[in-house]
Amino acid sequence: MAANTSPKTSTAKYAAQSSQPRSATSAPSSETGNSWEVVNRVVFPMEDRNAILPLYALEWTQPRMSHDEIDPVADFYNIDFAAMNESDARRLVNANLRQPANVSSDIFTVENRDAICVHAGKAVSLCTYFNAFPAGYWRRWTRISKVRLTVQVKGGGAISVMRSSGRGLLHTVQTLPVDSTEQFTTVTADITMDDLMDGGFFWFDARAGETNELHIRKATWSVPTTDRSAQNPTTFSIAITTFNRPTYCLRQLRTIATDMNVRGRLDTIYCVDQGTDRVRSQEGFNKTAQDLGQQLTYIQQANLGGSGGFSRGMFETLRAGTSSYTMLLDDDAISEPESIIRAVQFADYCVKPTIVGGGMFHLDNRTVLYAQSEIVNRNNMRPLPAVGQRYNQDYAQFPLRDQPHLHRRFDADFNGWWMCLISTAIMKDIGLSLPVFIKYDDFEFGLRAQDHGYTTVSLPGVAVWHQAWHSKDPQRTWEDYFDNRNRWICSLLHSSKPTPQLVYQMAYNDVTIGLRLVYSSLHLHHLALRDVMRGPQYILSSMPTKLAEVRKARKGFSDTETRPNIDDFPPALAQYAPNSKPESPAAVKREGITTLLKDLISPRNGLQDTNPAIAITAKDATWRAFRHQSSALVTSADGNSVAWCKRDNKLMRTLMFRNLYLTKVFCKRFNALAEEYRAADLCSIEQWAKIFNE
């Protein structure tokens, strides 16, 4: 093993082994003058099967059609709940009751990564997240005119080739009978790319005969290579950055090491280790490194956050000059390896260089898709689901085939860097990540690419499992500084002026955390605004040291004095029980304003409390829970600590008025600051080279 080291970084590239993973990818098939390339393989899970199988295959059921699919005017009218009787209400509820998707072994059995057996008299559907072909996206962003399904089958029954439109209307393209009980035979079907402008999927359903099982293996979706945009062959690198999550990172490396389809196109994995608990020190690392050989480049560097870690991988990819793409992949995500190669192959066929992103499933509820396709409200620099999309879609309770709204194409502004493939051409043109340590780096990169004419496609069937945000509360941690500072920097870079929505959002954040007695975050907002107004050079120069400064700035506030056990504090006098009745948004807003005004004029505090007035769980720690309370024992979002938050209305007034003043100054200086930040070229390759050298 050869290694190059410097005082602040070290890089090691592991020697190649006897195996040659690049040979794992077969050449495109060719017949009668036409050449086809497999771009989607139908796969099934080999691990955690009980938790995720509905994302791959499920029992066939009769498709459902709702009234709004064929009559969009139905959405014009609301429901008069006041006029409903009990029978009407029951019919409304019962009409939407759904049983979870049936993936019982009585219906089918997964035999291998690419093979299942449908039991006699049973039927399965492959209209699932990972196994339906996202035809609408291929129609929109590539030149392909048709797709070929190829399936190896044995036994008796039939394969029904299906398609949908962007409206979610389904129909059968072709039925392929199967009568081959002795050996596997191959069936194919070609599907034209029509009726897909607004979206739509291709898939197949399989029904076994009444007396015969139906075995299915090596099902693939192929496209004509003549429609390919990229030069053949292309390769890619993977950038993984990690900070003291060595076991998670090693699991990610192992997953990639065992998938020959991925490795057949892979140049190298840049594992950027910024922690003190090193990945290379973990048991089993040497074995994984040997398996990967020269396809692993291990880099140690100082902690520059997610933006610094991912930028290092992007930087090294450009410097090596061999990869067409870099895939950014979170260290603590669980990957579906087929997603990785699907993203690369889709990018090969895109008409112009494209960012190809993937969705994020919840790690603790594996069939729930947190996000796929997000857009940005540039007026307040907040993300939201794409038009027609929604957060937290449960594919076990609501399968793809029964959710017409999921069949439309969703256009994205950016994709989270839990999994995101970026073309080398785009990086050369627009630079690397914004050097802001953490938060909004993926967000800003997508907007910058968009401003330069590049598209982000969040491709269905491409995703990872990642820890969900509901176990985090950045407003109670040092992360809140970066969240606010970097959002304001994004506004300077990508907004034309400080909009009323942005100003309202800034004030709203201060109000909500003030009402929750999180005074440390009010202080961090003050520091963030001040630092933004110091200019881009300060943001650059303070990057390596800012985390330590922020941690120090939080000290001394009651909400930051956490303990690992509730018994480390005196017992609370009461337990909070939410009992507020539902109200209109306007009424809730009035209630919040009234509560704020009372807090601003009241001298009340809980600094002298000998016991917390109330105990509040993490789930219930909204501003309503803190009303009329002098202090509160509050559990952290991750459930690992508790803080005794004490009311200090005088301090709250001081901090809020200071931030209002700074907001006024920020808005006044907005145009000048925007020019300064845009001229600084913060994301250039040359700028990052200086950061890494330092």
Side-chain angles (χ1 to χ4, degrees), residues 99-172:
Q99 295 295 321
N102 188 356
V103 293
S104 168
S105 58
D106 294 337
I107 308 299
F108 65 94
T109 303
V110 174
E111 297 182 318
N112 209 329
R113 175 69 168 152
D114 62 358
I116 63 170
C117 171
V118 185
H119 301 311
K122 305 298 183 180
V124 300
S125 176
L126 278 298
C127 187
T128 56
Y129 180 84
F130 279 119
N131 280 330
F133 181 77
Y137 291 78
W138 283 82
R139 169 67 175 82
R140 173 66 179 86
W141 304 112
T142 75
R143 297 188 182 95
I144 68 167
S145 57
K146 57 184 175 180
V147 177
R148 172 168 292 177
L149 170 67
T150 304
V151 190
Q152 293 185 14
V153 293
K154 185 177 75 169
I159 299 292
S160 297
V161 185
M162 306 292 296
R163 66 179 298 160
S164 66
S165 68
R167 297 171 66 180
L169 301 175
L170 322 177
H171 68 270
T172 304

Side-chain angles (χ1 to χ4, degrees), residues 181-213:
T181 57
E182 298 299 324
Q183 61 184 4
F184 277 95
T185 186
T186 300
V187 296
T188 63
D190 291 353
I191 313 176
T192 57
M193 300 292 285
D194 54 344
D195 193 23
L196 296 169
M197 188 62 71
D198 292 331
F201 288 86
F202 299 161
W203 70 95
F204 68 90
D205 297 333
R207 181 178 295 277
E210 292 301 322
T211 59
N212 296 103
E213 293 182 333

